[in-house]
Structures are given as structure tokens and as C-alpha cells.
Amino acid sequence: MNEVVDRLKNYTPARIGVGRTGTRPLTKEFLSFRIDHAAAVDSVYGEVAPELLESFQLFSVDTCIETKEHYLTRPDQGRLLSEAGEKMIWEKCVKQPQVQVVVSDGLSANAIEENMADVYPALMDSLEANGLSAGTPFFVKGGRVGCMDAIGELLKPDVFVLLIGERPGLVCAHSMSAYMCYRPRAGTRESERMVISNIHRRGTPPVEAAAHIGTILSKMIEQKTSGVGLVM
Amino acid sequence: MEKKTVLLGETYQFASLKEVLAKANEERSGDELAGIAAANMKERMAAKVVLADVTLSEIRNYPLLSPEEDEVSRIIEEGLDESIYKAVQRWTVADLREYILSDEQSGADLLKLGTGLTSEMIAAAAKIMSNLDLIQAASKIEIITHCQTHIGAAGTLASRAQPNHPSDNLQGMRASAYEALSYGIGDAMIGINPVIDTTDNIAALLKETKEIIDQFSIPTQNCVLSHVTSQIRAIEKGAPADLIFQSLAGSQAAIESFGISVSMLDEATALINEKGTATGPNRWYLETGQGSELSSNSHFDIDQVTLESRCYGLARRYNPFLVNTVVGFIGPEYLYDSKQVMRAGLEDHFMGKMHGLPMGVDVCYTNHMKADQNDMDNLSTLLAAAGVNFVIGVPMADDCMLNYQSLSYHDIATLRSVMKLKPASAFEQWLEQIGIMQNGKLSRHAGDPAYFLTLA
């Protein structure tokens, strides 16, 4: 019987086949759950290493966030760029690119550290395979999804893709999302944004996600829209 | 509508009903983020004192968002039973609170009263109620709904099995569903949050969940929680759905930010009634949660408790089978810690029940919120005492796709055992029949997902 349970467990990272004593979990499983929660809470407070950003030739700009607590309670400030950040983007970036790629730590710096090497080159390949040209990519520290609107106002790209760390889960504290939008600007509706979530090796595989992003961006450009209006 | 009061020697002035309602809320980070919260505890109490004396007709006559400018307000206004409202319009909010809590009034009386109240009136009452008030009032109200099966009867606690998978793998989803069923979880529904929102994928998940239900003759219903438009496409192509899902919000601008409108929801209702696979009349699964309006900047400086109540005003138009407030999912910028999540869970449950809705709660938290699983133990016990219709279950409380924690299947079995509650009746009979329960208790097969392979 144990072999059958093991086979079921192989199909999913979910905590199944964990057993019980009465109606309660077994001690080992209970403690392992609490350990993973502890690790996830700690990873919210991590930072992306500057060396990693350098290796992908990404320069880094700040939002209006000062501390982690500030980031957690003031999402509005994470959607706005600092004055210095705006200036740097304006000076360094290609204007009106077809595709603007941005990377941000969001709620898990760990997600960027773990997935960049898999996702980023695959994304660039996928853009090329779809005949799309990218502008100047960069990193946003303390960013929220809506920071793409502020960047969109500055650079006016046709389409935008934001690779951002998701809030960490227990099975995986390093899951990344790709948020995409056609011509993001001040006042973009959430329903205009599209997302591929759970990007990590045991979730949506990075290469598959990158291919999917390329397809979606092409369709956005073709249909001049994104979100619920886009026919896939 | 200006209001003022003197409290402990200080004069407090409020420029509008909107301001009174916001400042009368128990403390929460979302109201602070919106810049509408009381400055301190005394101002909060002054607002409560003022609110207690506001009459129900004042609340109706000074709309926060007029029906002409907001579709949600229009639905709330149109849905009101005028004769019930007329009988109570001179009551103050204090009168309303005391009527709700009085021994004289049964749950049926409260349900009848609710049809004559706007969502703002119900929210106002909640603001001057304590946590135990909210539990006492809600516990009187029984709301039974019918999709394929019936849930909500007094003395039962139903549950949604949520066997999500981080890449929508069908075998993984099935394995996780077996785990849920082996603990007696899944009587409210088997419902999947998909990762990939394409028509084909939604159809595949609907088929697989329906196949599990049919294979083991499980008295429950299926649902895949994608955007309503992709469910419509899948159902039109023949995918089997007992329930149709959508998230709601409390202002027209906020539901537009979800990419929906009242007319779209009306169309989806017609479609699920015509092409859905259920036999009963209640075909909607709706989700809400405090803070979503502010997160899409469509809150109009209205507080998040009042906006949440307005979601229920919209929800009652659709006679849903289940309404679920995903209370701790949104994050610390709206509900900072476990104290705020607990309060919000009890408020939402009470306000929904007063609207006549079959309320469930996703007792949950995220890893960036100041809360842990002990807090979920506490809130789920309070809600079970309050008579919550259903809760959400995931393996060991850990949703490996949505990256948050809810209740474990163990927890729901424990709540039933401690609070002397049963699964929904048809589902319990099925559990006894297949051998997961024996004489009302979990059997030796319970907790073994592989048991379902021996039945197959």
C-alpha cells in the first residue's frame, strides 16, 4: 500500500499521504510544515545579489520604497519610481521599444536568484523566435506589478513583460510570475494585465513559460490589446 | 450629512456618513492605506457613538455612491423589499443591532429583515458589534442552498476540496482530491484554481473533476475558478460544469477592473442555467474579500467593510450556491495581522448571512502577513461556532499553487469532531457507504488516498 501512496505523491508537490493520529497530523509532518513556514517568512526579507544583476547586465532602479515593512504596507509606493530611478531609466533605455523587459524582486528575492539563469535567456530566445525586438532591460528594487504603468508612461513600449518574485509559498519560496500588458500606462486596468504564475522548475517550467510569453506578446501586438479581450 | 459628538470632553466632527462609517471600523491597515481610518482609539469610539444614532433612512437617503453613477448601488437599491424597509426605516443602527441580537428574533426573522436592508445598513450594524455579537447573530441564521446536493443545514459543516496543482497536472490534481475525500472533505465542491486560463485547459479540468465525481458517485459539485469569460467558452464547447465562478467587488469601477459587468454576470447565469450539469437552482460560486476595491483604486474613499458588504448586495442578485470570503489572502496592506484577519472573517460571515447568502470562509493567511497556523485554528473554531456553511481545505493547509495557507483536511475533520458537526447529509451517507466513515466517525481507511484506487 505504501508504494501506491508514493506513486500518488509523485504526481504532486502537495502534502498528501501524510497520515494522521485521530483527526490530527503526525508530529513529523506538523513540524515540517512549521519549518517551511518559517523559511518562507524569512525569504520575504531577502535581497537580490548585485553580482547576479551585473551578470545579466541589468542596472537597478528604486521605487519609492524605503524599508521592507514600508514595502509590505504601502503597495502604492512600490508602483511609483523614485526620481533618481526615472532619470536613470530615461538616460539609459531605448525609447518606444517593441518589448520592454523588466525584472523585480517583488515579494521574493529568492525567486529572482533561483530562476533568472533559466528564464531570462529562454525569454530572449523566445522573443527572437517570434521576431520581436526588446528594448533595454533593467531591474526594479521593491517593485509592485503596477510599476509597469509608471515605466510604460516613460518609455511607451508596445508590450511589457515584468518578471517578478511571487509571495513565497511553503512548497516553494522561489516562484516567479511573468506579468504582461499591451501599452501599460497610468490607469491601466488590472483586467488588461496577463500573468503566467508559478514559474520554477517544479511548477511551470521556465523554458515553457518563456515560449508562452513570446506567443502571448505576439498576439498582443497583432490584436492591439491584452487581458480578457485577447483571443488566445 | 454632518455629525458631531462630545466624547470624554472632546468634540468630534464628521463631515459625511462615509467618514463616520470609515472611522467606526475596528482598526485595519487597508483603511489606513486609504487614508480614511480614525486617527486614534477615541476618534474611533466617537464615530461608533455617532453611527449608533444614525437612522436607517439617513443611510438610505445619503448614498455613498448613487445608483445613477454605480451599477452595484443600483442592484442593491433595486433588490430592496420596500415594505420591510418602511417598517424599520426610523430605527437607529443601535436599534438594528439590538433587534438582531434579541432572543425574540429567530434566524428566519433576521433573513426576512435582511431583505429590507441595504448593504450599508448591514455594514453599519457590524461596526458596532463585538466579535461575539457577530458570532451570536450569525449562528441563528440557517441558509440551505441546492446545486447537485444541498448544503448549509444547521449542525453541518461543509468543505470545499481545493486540490490545486502548480502546473494543472491532472493526475496530481486527482491524487490530491483522493487525499481530501479520504478525510471526508469535498461536500461543498471540488474546486480547482487553474494556473493556465485557456479554454482547452479549463475544459480539461472541468472534465477531470466531473469524472472523479461520476466515477465514485460522489454527492458534490465541480467548479474551475478561471475568469468567467473562459469558463463560458469552455461550457459552450460542452465542458461539464455544475457551478460557475466569479470574484466580486463592491463598486462598479472595481468589478470593471476584474473585467466583468452586471450584464456579463447575467449572461453567465443564463448560460449555466441552460448548459450547466447541475440539477438544483443555485449555480454560482462567488468569491469576495475585503480590500480588493482599494487594490484597484476603485474604492471612492469608502471603507473596506462597507465595500465588502456591498459585494454581498451584488451577490444576492444571483442566488449563489456558495459565497466565499477569501479573508486572509489579500495581504498585510489590507489586513495586517491575525487580529485583523479574525475580525474581518467574523464581519464578512455575519454580513453575508444577513444578506441571506450561504457564507463560507477561506480561513487563510499569506507568508508576508503577521499570522500563523495557530491563528487559523482559532478563527476556524470561531466560525464553526458561528455556523459557517463551509470552509476550504488543502493538503496539510498548504496550497502548493496559490502559495498561501488555509485549513488542512485534518483541521476540518477536527472542527467537526470538536464542535459536533457533520458533513452535508448526502455526502456523509456516501462516506459511510464507501467506508471512509463508520457510525459518524472516520474509519481506519480515512486519511489513505490510495484507498480510492482499491475502489476504482
Side-chain angles (χ1 to χ4, degrees):
Chain A
M1 192 58 94
N2 274 344
E3 274 169 38
V4 183
V5 175
D6 285 346
R7 184 154 59 85
L8 290 176
K9 288 169 94 147
N10 275 334
Y11 294 140
T12 175
R15 293 164 203 257
I16 64 167
V18 294
R20 63 191 180 92
T21 171
T23 60
R24 303 306 298 155
L26 299 178
T27 310
K28 195 177 156 200
E29 289 292 341
F30 164 69
L31 291 178
S32 128
F33 167 82
R34 289 299 303 268
I35 291 166
D36 292 344
H37 178 243
V41 169
D42 287 352
S43 90
V44 170
Y45 293 86
E47 292 207 0
V48 176
E51 298 77 33
L52 182 85
L53 299 179
E54 275 161 31
S55 71
F56 290 101
Q57 291 166 315
L58 299 177
F59 65 93
S60 175
V61 299
D62 288 335
T63 57
C64 295
I65 293 300
E66 282 148 23
T67 63
K68 261 305 177 220
E69 286 299 324
H70 189 210
Y71 180 79
L72 291 176
T73 53
R74 293 298 302 267
D76 53 325
Q77 300 296 305
R79 297 186 194 113
L80 303 174
L81 299 164
S82 69
E83 215 171 293
E86 275 191 4
K87 197 164 161 259
M88 199 188 294
I89 290 170
W90 186 251
E91 281 168 3
K92 294 197 173 189
C93 290
V94 173
K95 315 293 185 298
Q96 300 182 327
Q98 193 176 27
V99 182
Q100 179 64 48
V101 179
V102 171
V103 181
S104 183
D105 46 4
L107 278 163
S108 171
N110 217 344
I112 304 305
E113 301 219 310
E114 293 283 330
N115 297 301
M116 268 301 272
D118 293 332
V119 175
Y120 192 76
L123 173 60
M124 291 304 162
D125 289 350
S126 163
L127 294 182
E128 204 183 313
N130 281 279
L132 301 173
S133 67
T136 318
F138 58 93
F139 177 79
V140 174
K141 190 179 174 199
R144 293 275 177 177
V145 172
C147 76
M148 70 168 71
D149 298 355
I151 300 167
E153 286 286 328
L154 274 181
L155 296 178
K156 314 267 185 217
D158 270 349
V159 290
F160 200 106
V161 53
L162 174 67
L163 302 175
I164 188 165
E166 292 174 6
R167 56 186 175 194
L170 300 200
V171 167
C172 175
H174 53 263
S175 181
M176 180 192 259
S177 280
Y179 279 85
M180 291 158 282
C181 189
Y182 180 75
R183 296 195 176 168
R185 71 229 159 257
T188 299
R189 286 183 176 165
E190 294 313 309
S191 59
E192 294 176 64
R193 299 191 220 279
M194 303 179 80
V195 62
I196 299 174
S197 52
N198 269 291
I199 303 172
H200 59 94
R201 283 180 187 170
R202 286 202 70 191
T204 307
V207 174
E208 202 176 288
H212 203 40
I213 294 169
T215 311
I216 292 176
L217 295 181
S218 295
K219 290 198 187 226
M220 284 181 183
I221 290 171
E222 218 173 270
Q223 299 175 31
K224 297 192 183 337
T225 187
S226 59
V228 287
L230 194 79
V231 182
M232 291 297 292
Chain B
M1 190 191 80
E2 272 190 50
K3 292 277 175 186
K4 74 174 174 186
T5 190
V6 178
L7 186 76
L8 304 173
E10 247 177 276
T11 305
Y12 293 90
Q13 189 121 16
F14 302 97
S16 63
L17 178 63
K18 196 190 273 189
E19 188 184 346
V20 174
L21 286 168
K23 292 187 169 172
N25 272 353
E26 294 295 299
E27 186 176 346
R28 68 206 58 207
S29 49
D31 290 340
E32 282 160 26
L33 176 63
I36 57 175
N40 52 46
M41 291 300 274
K42 277 201 293 179
E43 192 187 19
R44 174 166 296 118
M45 285 317 301
K48 285 183 198 278
V49 167
V50 164
L51 182 60
D53 281 338
V54 170
T55 63
L56 302 189
S57 62
E58 278 180 290
I59 294 179
R60 191 164 181 204
N61 295 337
Y62 292 90
L64 306 178
L65 271 176
S66 76
E68 292 74 34
E69 63 184 335
D70 187 277
E71 211 169 30
V72 176
S73 299
R74 183 171 60 76
I75 299 299
I76 293 168
E77 194 52 33
E78 283 174 0
L80 216 60
D81 185 319
E82 291 290 345
S83 64
I84 306 275
Y85 166 72
K86 284 212 173 74
V88 300
Q89 60 180 328
R90 288 192 182 79
W91 288 7
T92 62
V93 177
D95 294 334
L96 176 59
R97 172 183 174 276
E98 285 166 21
Y99 180 91
I100 289 169
L101 292 171
S102 151
D103 285 339
E104 313 282 307
Q105 269 59 42
S106 67
D109 294 328
L110 298 187
L111 282 173
K112 194 173 149 203
L113 169 67
T115 62
L117 301 178
T118 65
S119 303
E120 287 80 359
M121 296 170 196
I122 292 171
K127 289 160 198 273
I128 58 165
M129 291 169 78
S130 75
N131 286 6
L132 199 51
D133 289 354
L134 297 170
I135 292 170
Q136 167 71 68
S139 74
K140 292 201 266 188
I141 302 173
E142 182 187 52
I143 296 160
I144 297 173
T145 49
H146 178 202
C147 183
Q148 287 290 41
T149 61
H150 294 80
I151 70 157
T156 64
L157 172 64
S159 54
R160 166 186 167 192
Q162 185 171 298
N164 294 338
H165 187 279
S167 56
D168 291 340
N169 178 290
L170 297 181
Q171 281 175 308
M173 188 271 283
R174 186 179 269 264
S176 188
Y178 288 167
E179 176 88 355
L181 295 166
S182 81
Y183 284 87
I185 309 308
D187 40 352
M189 69 161 174
I190 299 177
I192 305 294
N193 298 86
V195 179
I196 301 160
D197 198 353
T198 59
T199 312
D200 287 350
N201 188 53
I202 302 312
L205 288 166
L206 281 167
K207 275 183 206 144
E208 187 73 7
T209 45
K210 194 67 180 173
E211 229 172 83
I212 298 172
I213 290 172
D214 290 346
Q215 186 184 351
F216 299 100
S217 309
I218 310 170
T220 188
Q221 26 279 315
N222 75 330
C223 189
V224 174
L225 288 73
S226 66
H227 193 273
V228 71
T229 50
S230 52
Q231 291 170 83
I232 288 174
R233 284 187 210 119
I235 294 166
E236 276 174 343
K237 281 189 170 177
D242 294 326
L243 287 160
I244 190 160
F245 160 82
Q246 181 56 45
S247 290
L248 297 184
S251 73
Q252 181 179 338
I255 62 171
E256 281 170 1
S257 85
F258 289 171
I260 57 163
S261 62
V262 169
S263 66
M264 193 187 281
L265 294 174
D266 289 353
E267 277 166 37
T269 307
L271 178 83
I272 193 73
N273 284 339
E274 192 204 328
K275 298 206 163 153
T277 38
T279 50
N282 307 119
R283 309 274 181 100
W284 273 102
Y285 172 59
L286 300 171
E287 283 190 352
T288 67
Q290 290 187 23
S292 59
E293 298 82 6
L294 175 58
S295 80
S296 59
N297 198 28
S298 41
H299 59 297
F300 303 95
D301 286 334
I302 303 169
D303 70 273
Q304 64 188 45
V305 178
T306 304
L307 285 166
E308 178 70 11
S309 192
R310 286 166 54 89
C311 295
Y312 305 135
L314 176 58
R316 72 177 160 186
R317 175 185 178 89
Y318 297 101
N319 301 310
F321 179 63
L322 309 159
V323 178
N324 176 32
T325 170
V326 191
V327 68
F329 189 72
I330 193 157
E333 62 271 38
Y334 306 95
L335 295 167
Y336 184 67
D337 57 11
S338 56
K339 181 174 175 163
Q340 295 187 11
V341 168
M342 268 189 247
R343 172 73 194 177
L346 295 174
E347 286 168 345
D348 294 357
H349 177 249
F350 162 78
M351 295 192 297
K353 287 269 166 90
M354 282 300 293
H355 279 84
L357 295 170
M359 284 307 293
V361 178
D362 190 351
V363 178
C364 63
Y365 62 108
T366 59
N367 293 319
H368 61 320
M369 179 179 273
K370 286 203 187 304
D372 65 24
Q373 202 63 34
N374 287 326
D375 299 312
M376 302 304 109
D377 289 359
N378 296 350
L379 179 55
S380 59
T381 307
L382 297 178
L383 284 165
V388 71
N389 281 36
F390 71 101
V391 289
I392 308 292
V394 291
M396 273 305 284
D398 173 13
D399 189 306
C400 60
M401 179 289 204
L402 290 171
N403 285 341
Y404 78 126
Q405 287 84 249
S406 180
L407 297 183
S408 128
Y409 300 139
H410 303 81
D411 297 339
I412 300 168
T414 308
L415 289 170
R416 284 172 177 163
S417 156
V418 172
M419 307 296 284
K420 312 279 179 255
L421 298 166
K422 292 162 168 288
S425 149
F427 192 82
E428 188 183 23
Q429 282 171 30
W430 173 78
L431 289 169
E432 294 269 350
Q433 223 172 56
I434 62 158
I436 293 291
M437 284 181 90
Q438 214 167 18
N439 305 318
K441 286 194 167 164
L442 291 181
S443 76
R444 67 190 171 87
H445 298 301
D448 177 13
Y451 183 61
F452 284 86
L453 295 175
T454 68
L455 297 175

